[in-house]
Amino acid sequence: MTDLADLTATELLAAFAAGTATPSEAVAACLARIEATDPGLNSIITLLADSARVKAAESDARWREGTARPLEGVPYGLKDIVATAGIRTTGGSALYRDHVPETDAVLAARLADAGGVPLAKLATFEFACGGAVNKTFGPTRNPWDPRRTTGGSSSGSGAAVAAGQVPLAIGTDTGGSIRIPSAFCGITGLKATYGRVPRHGVMGLSWTMDHAGPMTRSVADAALMLDVIAGPDPLDPTALPAQDSPFSAAVGRDVSGLRVARDRAFLEGDLHPAVAEAYESALGELTGLGVELVDVELPTFDLAAVAGWWIIYAEMLSLHEDHVSGIEDRDEMGASLLGAAPFVSAADYLRALRLRPVFQRELEAAMAGCAALVTPGLSALPPFIASEMTSDLGNREVPWLDAACRTSVPFNLTGSPALVVPSGEIGGLPGSLQFVGRPRDEATLFALGGAYQAATTHHLRRPALPAAA
């Protein structure tokens, strides 16, 4: 019998509708999976077991009565920088260990209103910018190899979805923090267009670069989740208007004949050899769908990465200046990032903001005539957990963020939607593809990612679970 903890949200909803499973059974399965796996993974900061059981029972009744909502009875987790009324929201920091918000973040309220069952607040790098070795809560470990990081800063979300603790999770992404842990953990992650998902109630790091979005086991689930959390919000002036049609309608759309751009220079130019080989194999699978690959150039995108970090540093210092006085209580890496921020001058910050439309236009020109851009989802395998992690590029070791953010942070700067999907196996660890779209065109990414997952089985692979006690 299939363990309900291994099903996608789409599969759970089908089972609830058919009467072959109930939300209460799904929650029980996820809680059992958490009990079995979390001692080794450390993905949970706050478990909401009792309230989840109550909400699941309410969802059981709604399915019986025919009043089910879009996510009725599906368990989910929230990165612990997302505010939850009456439930502590720590930001992964000792400074907020006992912080309890009075109101929900907008996206948390939308998930609950759609019938989802909040099951856990999930681990994060401190304030979404610290290191893998969280000083307060400890490191989150990768389900594929517990010696390795899940990436960050949505570390708990990546591990929890991959291990079957929850089928759905929310992450945030300022320089890759949805996409990196999704790639490292072999799951699907979406950084939607800037402003697509309201951020009110989510702890900020960089208002120019911050995004929130789904981390799931399938493209279909990511689209379903985006249908629920996207849309205008009077509390967030950056929020975009509602879409004319559901994002989930794009999954299953034919992609044959689409032209997809690739940049062999900056975005593909510094990969571990095994990653590069797996990436080429994944591109072969993509062209097998009838997609045509087109070589393009992004000649200044190395500068886009630099400009993105200038903005992050400057805005991080602005948002967290009250925490400088308590820097000794912070994670070592988070403290070092905050300590470096004052060295970004006002001129550098303003120059980076002025360059943003330049990079947006460069990307638009490169993608002319193409439906999307494809890149590797990762440049190197997940590094081994350490206070100062490095990534192995085959011929040298580099600071892990230099490798991990290479294909991610430029698209935070441009605000482009970007979707990562599992794309094979590299020495027992997941590979990953990233699709980048035009602003507000998540639909094309869902079509491409959905077609890729319909034709392959990479997203169906699961990490080995601990032996039963």
Side-chain angles (χ1 to χ4, degrees):
M1 182 178 176
T2 301
D3 191 327
L4 293 179
D6 290 320
L7 297 185
T8 66
T10 303
E11 291 168 337
L12 283 175
L13 289 168
F16 299 159
T20 57
T22 67
S24 289
E25 290 169 341
V27 165
C30 289
L31 288 172
R33 182 64 58 85
I34 289 169
E35 182 179 8
T37 59
D38 207 57
L41 298 180
N42 192 36
S43 58
I44 310 290
I45 287 184
T46 302
L47 186 62
L48 310 174
D50 291 341
S51 62
R53 292 187 182 100
V54 171
K55 292 180 185 300
E58 294 171 356
S59 289
D60 293 346
R62 278 184 170 269
W63 279 105
R64 289 193 301 268
E65 295 162 0
T67 58
R69 295 162 291 180
L71 292 178
E72 195 67 62
V74 178
Y76 66 89
L78 296 169
K79 183 177 181 176
D80 204 28
I81 65 170
V82 178
T84 41
I87 300 167
R88 70 171 182 163
T89 302
T90 70
S93 176
L95 302 177
Y96 277 64
R97 183 193 291 272
D98 300 315
H99 171 61
V100 179
E102 296 181 358
T103 57
D104 285 329
V106 169
L107 65 86
R110 288 179 179 178
L111 288 168
D113 290 345
V117 177
L119 191 58
K121 301 299 293 291
L122 301 171
T124 172
F125 288 8
E126 186 185 30
F127 294 132
C129 66
V133 183
N134 187 293
K135 182 176 181 178
T136 305
F137 298 101
T140 299
R141 299 183 178 276
N142 194 310
W144 295 93
D145 181 349
R147 300 170 300 167
R148 298 178 185 265
T149 184
T150 62
S153 60
S154 305
S155 51
S157 299
V161 173
Q165 295 179 341
V166 289
L168 302 175
I170 287 291
T172 63
D173 193 312
T174 304
S177 294
I178 287 172
R179 290 162 292 156
I180 294 167
S182 293
F184 282 4
C185 294
I187 65 172
T188 298
L190 175 76
K191 182 196 80 64
T193 303
Y194 180 78
R196 179 67 78 193
V197 179
R199 296 170 298 171
H200 182 77
V202 179
M203 290 183 183
L205 182 60
S206 165
W207 58 86
T208 300
M209 307 278 280
D210 287 347
H211 301 66
M215 298 173 68
T216 66
R217 293 196 199 120
S218 72
V219 171
D221 280 7
L224 180 66
M225 204 172 185
L226 190 63
D227 282 338
V228 168
I229 61 176
D233 170 24
L235 299 175
D236 182 352
T238 69
L240 295 174
Q243 276 287 97
D244 292 334
S245 59
F247 297 102
S248 50
V251 180
R253 201 171 74 191
D254 182 28
V255 299
S256 61
L258 292 185
R259 303 173 84 233
V260 173
R262 65 179 296 191
D263 166 47
R264 295 178 186 264
F266 177 71
L267 295 173
E268 299 179 16
D270 206 359
L271 309 178
H272 186 284
V275 173
E277 182 180 358
Y279 175 61
E280 292 297 336
S281 177
L283 292 183
E285 294 172 328
L286 185 62
T287 57
L289 304 175
V291 169
E292 178 188 355
L293 295 179
V294 179
D295 285 339
V296 302
E297 294 183 358
L298 293 164
T300 68
F301 254 49
D302 57 335
L303 299 178
V306 174
W309 280 111
W310 283 351
I311 293 169
I312 292 170
Y313 278 132
E315 295 181 353
M316 173 177 64
L317 180 60
S318 175
L319 289 171
H320 289 275
E321 59 184 342
D322 290 345
H323 300 143
V324 174
S325 60
I327 205 165
E328 68 278 357
D329 294 323
R330 299 200 57 181
D331 284 358
E332 181 179 341
M333 185 172 179
S336 67
L337 290 172
L338 193 60
F343 294 97
V344 176
S345 68
D348 288 337
Y349 172 62
L350 294 172
R351 185 179 298 113
L353 289 176
R354 289 199 306 271
L355 286 171
R356 190 183 191 199
V358 174
F359 299 126
Q360 290 170 330
R361 288 194 296 269
E362 181 175 310
L363 180 60
E364 181 182 8
M367 291 175 61
C370 294
L373 172 77
V374 66
T375 83
L378 42 75
S379 300
L381 296 178
F384 293 102
I385 294 172
S387 57
E388 295 185 14
M389 295 191 304
T390 61
S391 288
D392 176 13
L393 291 176
N395 57 358
R396 70 193 191 286
E397 297 276 335
V398 300
W400 84 279
L401 283 175
D402 289 0
C405 294
R406 185 182 183 90
T407 61
S408 60
V409 73
F411 305 112
N412 292 84
L413 182 63
T414 64
S416 312
L419 174 75
V420 294
V421 295
S423 65
E425 179 267 335
I426 310 169
L429 298 169
S432 181
L433 280 181
Q434 176 178 235
F435 297 107
V436 179
R438 289 186 174 80
R440 307 192 187 199
D441 188 18
E442 289 86 358
T444 294
L445 304 187
F446 287 138
L448 282 165
Y452 185 77
Q453 291 190 341
T456 63
T457 59
H458 308 309
H459 64 295
L460 302 180
R461 293 180 65 235
R462 300 285 184 264
L465 297 175

